[in-house]
Amino acid sequence: MTEHRVKKKILAIAALVAGSVLASSAAQAQQAGVTRTDLQRHDLSAPGREAVQVRVDLAPGVAFGKHTHPGEEIIYVLEGSLEYQIEDKPPITLKAGDVLFIPAGTVHAARNVGSVTGSELATYIVEKGKPLLALVK
């Protein structure tokens, strides 16, 4: 087998592995009443880091349970009213136009406390190759 073919096979295998990791983290994040739409993903100039932007929509009354991310999360609320529980702190409610910063590895949850769909733009600065989200029991 030529060197070119070997490189192509290695790249194909790497793409399959990366795709399965991304699919499994996306599958973990899906639940009834929650829609996650991946918008963009780019490598950063900081080695081993990437930026990921996701739109998250929560139906009225729906909650997304405790979870963490392998890096920072920067939230901008697009519409509705969303309540965030960050570790053991009192919950905070944000409305359209409000922002929130969640440090890497911080346990947090979100809940739509409004009567319309609540939406956020989540920007993650995370370690490349790790699942974007880890559920916490």
Side-chain angles (χ1 to χ4, degrees):
M1 200 180 285
T2 68
E3 183 179 339
H4 179 70
R5 281 185 143 178
V6 170
K7 285 181 181 178
K8 282 179 82 172
K9 279 190 174 189
I10 290 172
L11 287 173
I13 290 169
L16 285 172
V17 170
S20 66
V21 168
L22 293 175
S24 68
S25 67
Q28 285 179 347
Q30 297 300 333
Q31 75 176 44
V34 178
T35 304
R36 294 178 60 87
T37 305
D38 291 341
L39 301 173
Q40 62 178 329
R41 180 182 295 258
H42 298 283
D43 290 343
L44 297 176
S45 59
R49 293 286 192 178
E50 66 180 340
V52 180
Q53 274 194 322
V54 177
R55 179 185 173 118
V56 182
D57 298 296
L58 287 90
V62 169
F64 191 83
K66 293 181 181 180
H67 62 283
T68 63
H69 304 285
E72 292 75 16
E73 179 179 13
I74 303 159
I75 295 170
Y76 176 78
V77 178
L78 298 167
E79 53 193 334
S81 295
L82 299 172
E83 179 184 86
Y84 296 89
Q85 176 71 50
I86 301 172
E87 294 188 331
D88 296 329
K89 297 177 184 170
I92 58 170
T93 300
L94 303 180
K95 62 185 182 342
D98 290 339
V99 296
L100 180 64
F101 178 84
I102 300 175
T106 301
V107 176
H108 61 287
R111 182 168 66 101
N112 182 344
V113 294
S115 59
V116 299
T117 296
S119 303
E120 70 175 28
L121 175 64
T123 303
Y124 307 97
I125 307 299
V126 293
E127 292 180 54
K128 191 174 172 87
K130 288 196 173 183
L132 186 57
L133 181 139
L135 298 176
V136 175
K137 294 181 181 184

